[in-house]
Amino acid sequence: MNGPSLATGQRSLGDPSITYPLWPPLTRGCPKTSTASLAYPVEVDYDYARVSASLFEQEPGPDLARWSPLLPPLHAPTLGEGGTPLIPLEGVYVKDESRNPTWSHKDRLNRITVSAALGAGAPGVVVASSGNHGASAAAYAARAGLPAIVLASADAPPAVHSFVRAYGAKVLAVPVEARWPLMREIVDRLGYHPVSNLTVTHTGHPFGPEGYKTIAYELFLQLGGVPAAVFAPTGYAELLYGVWKGFTELRRLGLAGTTPRMFSCEAIAGGPIARAVDTGAPAAIVPLQHTEAYSIGCSVGGHRGVRAVRDSGGEALLVTDDEMRAAQRTLAAQGLWQEVSGAAGLAAYRKLGRDFDGPVVCIATSSGFKGMGVGMESVEVLTNPTVDDVL
Amino acid sequence: MNGPSLATGQRSLGDPSITYPLWPPLTRGCPKTSTASLAYPVEVDYDYARVSASLFEQEPGPDLARWSPLLPPLHAPTLGEGGTPLIPLEGVYVKDESRNPTWSHKDRLNRITVSAALGAGAPGVVVASSGNHGASAAAYAARAGLPAIVLASADAPPAVHSFVRAYGAKVLAVPVEARWPLMREIVDRLGYHPVSNLTVTHTGHPFGPEGYKTIAYELFLQLGGVPAAVFAPTGYAELLYGVWKGFTELRRLGLAGTTPRMFSCEAIAGGPIARAVDTGAPAAIVPLQHTEAYSIGCSVGGHRGVRAVRDSGGEALLVTDDEMRAAQRTLAAQGLWQEVSGAAGLAAYRKLGRDFDGPVVCIATSSGFKGMGVGMESVEVLTNPTVDDVL
C-alpha cells in the first residue's frame, strides 16, 4: 500500500455536475440521468491535489495496492494482479494480460469490485459471465472469503466450464436471456453485490474500470511516456474506458503532456460501440451474430466506450473472426497464445493500416486456453515413428 | 541486460575437478564420469568475483535478462518470463509460476535452452514432453525464429494437445517408449538441439537449471532474505536443483548467510529421486504407475535432485494423487487454480507437518488449465432458473 484511497465520491457520466457519495457503489448507474431505454454510468472521483508524484516513481509490478491512492479502497486481498509484461512485436507493443492470476485482464477489475462488495458489507457477489469475468470474480471472492454465484454461459467452451467451476463458486449454466433477470433477483432478494451489469444499456460496476486504469500507469512507466495509440479488444468497453481514464489522470497530474488515441476493437458480429459512435448516440444496442470471439461478442453497449473513443480522438473499429484468427496466429507464431478475442486489438490495428507518430500498444487480453476449439482437435498417434515423419 | 554473461565453462557433477569449455553444451551429460547405466550432468560455472552486488538491488520483475551476468548468453528474445508473484496463503508463501508466458515455470528454462540452441548454431530444437515443456520450447523457438519438433505424449489432456500445437511447432504424438529413440535420431541426423533429456539417467540440458536459479533470486528480494525451506513439485528435479543453485550463489556472493532446506515433492506413482536418496545412489530408475500428476510422473531420475536434497539438508518427499488434489482444492479456494502436479509442493509440506524457523515457500508450477479432467465435466443447463436454484 502506498497510502489510503483518495477517492471522494461518484460522478455521473450523464451530467458531470451530478455527484454522489462514494458509498454505496451505484451498480445501476446514475439514477438522475438514466432513462428506461438508456443508462448512464457513474465514475469515481479523487482528490487529485493530494496525489504524490512519487507514486509514479515505482516499478510497474504486480498487486494493484501499489496504486492505492488512485483506487477505491482495497478491502479484498491481492492475487498478484497486474504488472504484466509489454512485448515488442511486429512494430507494436503487446501488453500481455494473459499473465494475470486467472489469465485475463479481468483480474484487475475484480480486485476492485470484490473490494467494493466487502466495503458495502454484501453477503456475497454475483456475476453473469461467459467465462473470464465469472472465473476471475469467483477467484477474488474465494480469496476474500465471500460466497460467489456465477451465471455462466451455457455454450462456453468445455475447458472454460472447468475454469469457472474451479474456484468453488456456485455456478449455474443458464440461457443468455435468463441471466440478467435472475441476476437482478439475486441482488434484490439475497443482497448479493453485482460485479457485472444490471442496466438496460451497459453501466457495469462503477468502480470496475478503476482497476483497468493501472494498465495506463504501467504503460507510462514501461514506455517511459505515453503511447500514440491504444487498441483494446472491446466488449462492454470497461477496459477501453479504464485505460483512457488512467491516461487522462496522468495528464491531469502534470506527469504526461499528451494522451493516446483510443481504438475500440469489437467483433463485427455485434459492435454496439461502433454503432453508437457512428450514429452519435450515447450508447446503442445491436443484434449479435455468432462469433468465435465470444468474450467480446456484445449486443448491449454502454456510454463508457463511446466516451473513450470520442474524447481521445480515436475510432470505433470492427473486425471479423477471420481477421482475429489471423492476428491470433501472428501472436502465437511469436510465442503468445491468445484466445481469438484477445487478438482483436492487433487485428484492428492491422486492418486500420495507419502510421502513428509514436508507440502503438495492442492489449492482448486472455490466454489461448479459453478458446472455442480448445481440446477438440483429433490427435493421431504414430505407433512406429521415424525421423521421416518429421521431415 | 545488466551486462554480459560471466559464464566461464561447464563442470561435471560427477567429479567437480573435471571442467569443459562453455560451448558446445554437453547435452549428453559428463562424458568422463558417466557410464552405460548412470549419467552425470554438467553445470555452468561463472566468474563470481566479477558479479556486482548491485545486481541484487533491482526489482524482481519479468525478463531473465535482468540476471544476465549469472546466466549463459541470452541469444533468444524474451517473452517476459519470470517476475512471478509470491502469494502468502495458509502460513506459507506460494510462488505462482502459472504467471509465466506459457503459464508454467518451464519458460524460465526454455529462454535459456533455446538461447543455447541459437548459440550452438543449431537448425532447430527438439523436445520430448508431456505438455508444458513442449509448449514452452515451441513458444521460445517460435519467438526466436527457430523450427521446433515436439514429441508429445499421446495421452495428454485434450486442451494440452491444443496448447502444444498452438505455437506452430511440428508436433508428433508418439508412444512414450518411442520418444527418446526418435529424439536421439533427430539430434543425430538433423542436428537439432535437444532441450530435454537424452541420457540413461536424467541429465537434461546443462544450461536449463540456470533459468530456474532466477526463482531463488526473486524469492530473496521478495522475502527480503532466504526462506527456511522450499517445496518444489519434482519430476526430473531441474527446478529443484536450479532453485538450490541460486541460493548457493547468493551465499557464495556474500549476500545471504544461509541457504534453505530443499524438499523434492514427487508423485508416489514414481519417485526416482526419493529412491536414490533413500538408497544412497547417485540416481535411480523406478517403475511408474498411473498418476493424474502427469507433469511430474517420472520413471527415470537424475543426480541433480539428489544433490539439491542432500546438500541442502532437505528430504525427498512423496505424495499421493489424493494429497495433491486436496492441496489443489486448497489453492483454488484461495483463488489459485493449479494443475494437480502444480500443487505437489503444498501437498508435501502439509504431509510433512513440520514447523520451520523461517518462511516456507511452496512453488506452484502450472495453470489448472493443463489438468487431466479439464473440459470433461458435463454441464447441466437450467432452462427456467430461479433464485431457488441458487439456494
Side-chain angles (χ1 to χ4, degrees):
Chain A
M1 292 283 281
N2 281 312
S5 171
L6 299 175
T8 54
Q10 299 175 88
R11 183 180 298 275
S12 175
L13 285 192
D15 176 349
S17 71
I18 300 175
T19 59
Y20 303 94
L22 188 62
W23 301 95
L26 295 174
T27 56
R28 285 178 165 87
C30 172
K32 291 183 186 160
T33 58
S34 298
T35 67
S37 60
L38 183 78
Y40 281 101
V42 297
E43 64 162 332
V44 180
D45 250 355
Y46 297 86
D47 185 354
Y48 289 103
R50 291 177 55 206
V51 176
S52 165
S54 69
L55 188 61
F56 293 91
E57 287 164 11
Q58 59 184 322
E59 290 281 323
D63 187 352
L64 297 195
R66 66 184 60 230
W67 310 112
S68 53
L70 284 172
L71 296 175
L74 290 172
H75 300 292
T78 189
L79 289 169
E81 63 288 333
T84 58
L86 189 65
I87 312 289
L89 181 155
E90 302 233 328
V92 301
Y93 291 91
V94 175
K95 182 72 167 162
D96 183 9
E97 290 290 298
S98 80
R99 309 283 295 279
N100 276 296
T102 71
W103 314 293
S104 89
H105 64 301
K106 296 285 185 182
D107 294 320
R108 298 184 191 254
L109 177 140
N110 282 302
R111 173 92 187 274
I112 306 288
T113 55
V114 173
S115 289
L118 289 167
V125 300
V126 57
V127 56
S129 164
S130 53
N132 281 322
H133 191 17
S136 174
Y140 278 85
R143 176 74 169 155
L146 267 187
I149 298 169
V150 182
L151 306 180
S153 173
D155 53 1
V160 170
H161 280 296
S162 300
F163 174 43
V164 171
R165 280 165 175 72
Y167 300 99
K170 176 82 176 178
V171 180
L172 300 179
V174 300
V176 71
E177 64 278 9
R179 282 159 72 179
W180 285 275
L182 182 58
M183 179 156 162
R184 278 189 285 265
E185 201 184 346
I186 291 167
V187 171
D188 292 341
R189 280 183 52 190
L190 305 184
Y192 273 43
H193 196 75
V195 302
S196 59
N197 188 52
L198 281 176
T199 52
V200 55
T201 58
H202 186 274
T203 63
H205 197 287
F207 294 6
E210 304 300 306
Y212 294 135
K213 287 191 326 194
T214 60
I215 293 177
Y217 304 163
E218 292 174 16
L219 289 173
F220 178 68
L221 296 177
Q222 289 173 314
L223 293 169
V226 174
V230 176
F231 292 77
T234 297
Y236 295 124
E238 295 178 286
L239 171 63
L240 190 83
Y241 178 76
V243 175
W244 166 240
K245 182 171 178 182
F247 281 114
T248 64
E249 290 177 329
L250 290 166
R251 185 178 54 186
R252 179 176 185 155
L253 291 166
L255 295 162
T258 62
T259 50
R261 293 179 192 274
M262 301 295 299
F263 293 86
S264 60
C265 308
E266 294 178 284
I268 203 165
I273 306 297
R275 173 71 62 84
V277 168
D278 287 352
T279 59
I285 298 175
V286 298
L288 177 63
Q289 311 300 323
H290 175 79
T291 171
E292 199 177 325
Y294 70 96
S295 297
I296 58 170
C298 286
S299 171
V300 172
H303 188 52
R304 285 167 170 160
V306 175
R307 287 289 293 272
V309 169
R310 282 192 196 152
D311 294 355
S312 74
E315 290 177 43
L317 306 175
L318 296 167
V319 285
T320 66
D321 282 17
D322 278 348
E323 289 161 345
M324 286 186 272
R325 279 190 289 258
Q328 181 193 37
R329 284 192 297 272
T330 298
L331 291 168
Q334 293 285 331
L336 301 175
W337 188 37
Q338 289 279 317
E339 64 169 290
V340 167
S341 61
L346 180 61
Y349 166 72
R350 286 170 153 192
K351 187 175 190 174
L352 185 65
R354 188 179 301 167
D355 286 331
F356 289 91
D357 188 21
V360 171
V361 173
C362 296
I363 302 176
T365 44
S366 179
S367 164
F369 269 106
K370 286 100 171 252
M372 274 289 183
V374 167
M376 296 179 188
E377 297 156 79
S378 65
V379 174
E380 184 200 358
V381 177
L382 301 174
T383 45
N384 288 304
T386 71
V387 77
D388 297 320
D389 294 311
V390 170
L391 299 172
Chain B
M1 290 284 282
N2 282 311
S5 171
L6 300 175
T8 54
Q10 299 176 88
R11 183 179 299 276
S12 174
L13 286 192
D15 177 348
S17 71
I18 299 175
T19 60
Y20 302 95
L22 189 62
W23 300 96
L26 295 174
T27 56
R28 284 179 164 87
C30 172
K32 291 183 187 160
T33 58
S34 299
T35 68
S37 60
L38 182 78
Y40 282 101
V42 297
E43 63 162 333
V44 180
D45 250 355
Y46 298 87
D47 185 355
Y48 289 103
R50 290 177 56 207
V51 175
S52 165
S54 68
L55 187 62
F56 293 92
E57 288 164 12
Q58 60 184 322
E59 291 281 323
D63 186 352
L64 296 194
R66 68 184 60 231
W67 310 113
S68 52
L70 284 172
L71 296 175
L74 290 173
H75 299 291
T78 188
L79 289 168
E81 62 289 333
T84 58
L86 188 66
I87 312 288
L89 180 155
E90 303 232 328
V92 301
Y93 291 91
V94 175
K95 183 73 167 161
D96 183 8
E97 290 290 298
S98 79
R99 308 284 294 280
N100 276 296
T102 71
W103 314 292
S104 89
H105 63 300
K106 296 285 185 183
D107 294 320
R108 298 185 192 256
L109 177 141
N110 282 302
R111 173 91 188 274
I112 306 288
T113 55
V114 172
S115 289
L118 289 167
V125 301
V126 58
V127 55
S129 163
S130 52
N132 281 321
H133 191 17
S136 174
Y140 278 85
R143 175 76 170 154
L146 266 187
I149 298 169
V150 183
L151 305 180
S153 173
D155 53 1
V160 170
H161 279 296
S162 300
F163 174 43
V164 172
R165 280 164 175 72
Y167 301 99
K170 175 82 177 177
V171 180
L172 300 180
V174 300
V176 71
E177 65 278 8
R179 282 159 73 180
W180 286 276
L182 182 57
M183 179 157 161
R184 278 189 284 263
E185 202 183 345
I186 291 167
V187 171
D188 291 341
R189 279 183 52 189
L190 304 184
Y192 273 44
H193 196 74
V195 302
S196 60
N197 188 53
L198 281 176
T199 52
V200 55
T201 59
H202 186 276
T203 63
H205 197 288
F207 294 6
E210 304 300 307
Y212 295 136
K213 287 191 327 194
T214 60
I215 293 177
Y217 303 163
E218 291 175 18
L219 289 173
F220 178 68
L221 296 177
Q222 289 173 313
L223 292 168
V226 174
V230 176
F231 293 77
T234 297
Y236 295 123
E238 295 178 287
L239 171 63
L240 190 84
Y241 178 76
V243 175
W244 166 241
K245 182 171 178 183
F247 281 114
T248 65
E249 290 178 329
L250 290 166
R251 184 178 56 186
R252 179 175 185 156
L253 292 166
L255 296 162
T258 62
T259 50
R261 292 180 193 274
M262 301 296 300
F263 293 86
S264 60
C265 308
E266 294 177 284
I268 203 166
I273 305 298
R275 172 71 61 84
V277 169
D278 287 352
T279 59
I285 299 174
V286 298
L288 177 62
Q289 310 302 320
H290 176 79
T291 172
E292 199 177 326
Y294 70 96
S295 298
I296 59 170
C298 287
S299 170
V300 173
H303 189 52
R304 286 168 171 160
V306 174
R307 286 290 293 272
V309 169
R310 282 192 196 152
D311 295 355
S312 74
E315 290 178 42
L317 306 175
L318 296 166
V319 285
T320 66
D321 282 17
D322 278 348
E323 289 161 345
M324 287 185 272
R325 280 190 287 259
Q328 181 193 37
R329 285 192 296 272
T330 297
L331 291 169
Q334 294 284 332
L336 300 176
W337 189 37
Q338 289 279 317
E339 63 170 292
V340 166
S341 62
L346 180 61
Y349 166 71
R350 285 170 153 193
K351 187 175 190 174
L352 185 65
R354 187 178 301 167
D355 286 331
F356 290 91
D357 188 21
V360 171
V361 173
C362 295
I363 302 176
T365 43
S366 179
S367 164
F369 269 106
K370 286 101 171 249
M372 274 289 183
V374 167
M376 296 180 188
E377 297 156 79
S378 65
V379 175
E380 184 199 357
V381 178
L382 300 174
T383 44
N384 288 303
T386 69
V387 76
D388 297 321
D389 293 312
V390 170
L391 300 172

